[in-house]
């Protein structure tokens, strides 16, 4: 039979409350009593329940993470970054997705009500923003990993430089002689889409090559829409010598469609993506892309939350981790 706190109390001839105080370092205790209890704990080999000790301390030492789905191409990087920080500090992670819609959110809400975790990391599932804001207003510590830039300044968040990253893509394409880019965007409702569109277009406009509206194709971050945008542009007779896609998955679709139309990459058309997911290094040819620091964003969000638990206020502005630019053979020939 496992040794219990009652066994320790009986052997040390004290109450269970006294044993609990020794374990948690709380309350005024006679040093000789505390020493006797510690000796009995060692003698019996008593190992207290981590959950019970943490609850007694007012902590679960668990952080929750709410994400739309684990199938998003970069999601594993964010989660791994957060896990690395949490595990190093002996915290657990309780992971929630929204794959089952309202049922998933009901399950998550039940865990919120049960106070099953100390704080929350969020990659905002679509349609949950008001609920998340309400939880924040009620005092639940949280950090938003703000890939969509929807709540900047309202909830503590970690973000990246979408505008600057897209500008870097434009400057690179101009440097390699591309003057007529096609842009395949993300969904217009996302803040990051507007930032990437504006950052890219601004650099081309400053260089004297404004981008006409007919060369801006609305996409949805999918492979299929990346390919479809190329088919539509080609059928419409739109001339272009470069493609900037708002993510790597749609860039892969665009590359496939370009090759189907007999366009060589990068000799005829240069292609740039955004995210730098692992797949980007393995497309044919390998994809030049804006590197989103997703793992670093997960790490930074987790560190901010843990620091808050130790008394450091959460920042009231977005913590920015800059994007970088990775050049591969989809814009510069290796020969």
């Amino acid at each position: 039979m496992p040794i219990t706190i009652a066994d320790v109390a009986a052997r040390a001839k004290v109450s269970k409350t006294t044993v609990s105080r020794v374990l948690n370092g709380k309350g005024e205790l006679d040093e000789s009593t505390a020493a006797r209890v510690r000796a009995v704990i060692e003698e019996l080999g008593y190992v207290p329940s981590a959950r019970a000790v943490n609850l007694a301390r007012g902590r679960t030492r668990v952080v929750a993470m709410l994400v739309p789905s684990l199938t998003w191409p970069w999601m594993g990087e964010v989660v791994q970054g957060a896990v690395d920080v949490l595990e190093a500090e002996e915290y657990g992670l309780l992971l929630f997705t929204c794959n089952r819609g309202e049922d998933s959110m009901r399950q998550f809400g039940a865990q919120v009500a049960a106070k099953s975790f100390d704080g929350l990391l969020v990659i905002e599932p679509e349609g949950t923003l008001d609920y998340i804001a309400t939880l924040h207003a009620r005092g639940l510590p949280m950090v938003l990993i703000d890939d969509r830039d929807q709540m900047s300044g309202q909830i503590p968040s970690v973000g990246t430089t979408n505008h600057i990253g897209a500008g870097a893509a434009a400057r690179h394409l101009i440097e390699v002689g591309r003057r007529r880019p096609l842009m395949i965007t993300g969904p217009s409702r996302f803040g990051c889409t507007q930032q990437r569109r504006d950052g890219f277009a601004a650099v081309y406009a400053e260089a004297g090559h404004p981008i006409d509206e007919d060369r801006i194709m609305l996409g949805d971050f999918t492979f299929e829409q990346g390919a479809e945008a190329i088919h539509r542009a080609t059928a419409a007779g739109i001339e272009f010598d470069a493609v900037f896609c708002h993510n790597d998955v749609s860039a892969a679709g665009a590359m496939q469609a370009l090759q189907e139309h007999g366009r060589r990459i990068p000799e005829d058309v240069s292609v740039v993506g955004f995210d730098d997911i692992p797949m980007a290094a393995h497309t044919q040819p390998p994809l030049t892309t804006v590197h989103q620091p997703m793992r670093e964003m997960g790490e930074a969000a987790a560190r901010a939350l843990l620091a808050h638990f130790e008394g450091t206020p959460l920042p009231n502005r977005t913590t920015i981790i800059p994007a970088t630019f990775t050049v591969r053979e989809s814009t510069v020939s290796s020969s």
Side-chain angles (χ1 to χ4, degrees):
M1 295 290 291
I3 302 298
T4 69
I5 194 170
D7 297 326
V8 174
R11 178 69 66 90
K13 296 183 171 57
V14 297
S15 68
K16 288 191 292 184
T17 300
T18 297
V19 176
S20 180
R21 286 175 177 170
V22 171
L23 291 169
N24 298 314
K26 288 185 175 181
E28 295 293 331
L29 285 173
D30 176 73
E31 183 53 39
S32 63
T33 301
R36 186 168 75 254
V37 171
R38 285 192 287 268
V40 169
I41 289 172
E42 184 174 354
E43 176 191 345
L44 296 180
Y46 172 64
V47 178
S49 160
R51 178 175 174 81
V53 171
N54 289 332
L55 288 175
R57 292 173 177 170
R59 296 264 187 93
T60 64
R61 295 194 73 83
V62 172
V63 166
M65 192 168 191
L66 176 64
V67 305
S69 170
L70 293 177
T71 61
W72 287 20
W74 45 258
M75 189 63 69
E77 287 291 299
V78 183
V79 174
Q80 190 62 58
V83 166
D84 287 346
V85 171
L86 295 173
E87 288 186 348
E89 298 298 325
E90 298 184 351
Y91 272 75
L93 179 70
L94 191 57
L95 184 61
F96 297 91
T97 73
C98 286
N99 285 340
R100 295 181 296 112
E102 290 184 4
D103 287 344
S104 294
M105 290 308 297
R106 273 194 292 271
Q107 182 176 355
F108 171 71
Q111 295 299 313
V112 172
K115 298 183 178 180
S116 299
F117 46 85
D118 298 329
L120 178 65
L121 302 172
V122 185
I123 298 174
E124 180 247 322
E126 199 164 353
T128 65
L129 208 53
D130 289 344
Y131 177 55
I132 291 166
T134 298
L135 294 179
H136 177 252
R138 291 176 179 172
L140 178 64
M142 68 173 62
V143 179
L144 187 65
I145 301 170
D146 199 6
D147 65 297
R148 300 179 188 174
D149 198 42
Q150 300 264 52
M151 294 292 288
S152 178
Q154 300 177 54
I155 296 175
S157 65
V158 175
T160 190
T161 48
N162 287 293
H163 191 281
I164 294 171
R171 278 187 290 275
H172 173 70
L173 289 172
I174 291 169
E175 287 169 1
V176 298
R178 304 304 183 178
R179 300 292 182 265
R180 301 185 308 279
L182 190 75
M183 189 182 340
I184 303 175
T185 75
S188 58
R189 64 187 179 277
F190 293 166
C192 64
T193 294
Q194 192 63 50
Q195 289 189 345
R196 294 172 193 180
R197 172 176 169 156
D198 291 350
F200 188 82
V203 170
Y204 263 93
E206 289 167 6
H209 306 288
I211 300 174
D212 297 333
E213 284 297 319
D214 65 352
R215 285 195 276 123
I216 300 176
M217 317 292 284
L218 181 63
D220 63 0
F221 290 148
T222 65
F223 183 98
E224 292 75 17
Q225 279 298 307
E228 176 60 26
I230 296 298
H231 295 318
R232 281 188 281 124
T234 302
I238 298 171
E239 294 187 359
F240 58 93
D241 59 6
V243 181
F244 171 52
C245 297
H246 282 195
N247 78 339
D248 293 340
V249 174
S250 59
M255 291 171 73
Q256 178 174 294
L258 286 166
Q259 291 162 346
E260 289 173 0
H261 286 284
R263 308 291 298 275
R264 297 172 302 162
I265 305 168
E267 291 83 1
D268 301 327
V269 182
S270 293
V271 181
V272 178
F274 205 110
D275 285 341
D276 200 16
I277 61 176
M279 176 198 74
H282 302 288
T283 57
Q284 293 299 323
L287 180 64
T288 293
T289 186
V290 180
H291 175 80
Q292 275 210 99
M294 302 311 300
R295 183 176 293 225
E296 294 88 342
M297 290 166 70
E299 291 171 349
R303 279 196 298 268
L305 201 54
L306 295 188
H308 172 72
F309 298 155
E310 299 304 318
T312 301
L314 286 167
N316 56 11
R317 56 183 174 79
T318 301
T319 299
I320 297 295
I321 302 177
T324 55
F325 195 67
T326 302
V327 177
R328 298 192 181 98
E329 285 81 13
S330 68
T331 57
V332 179
S333 178
S334 59
S335 60

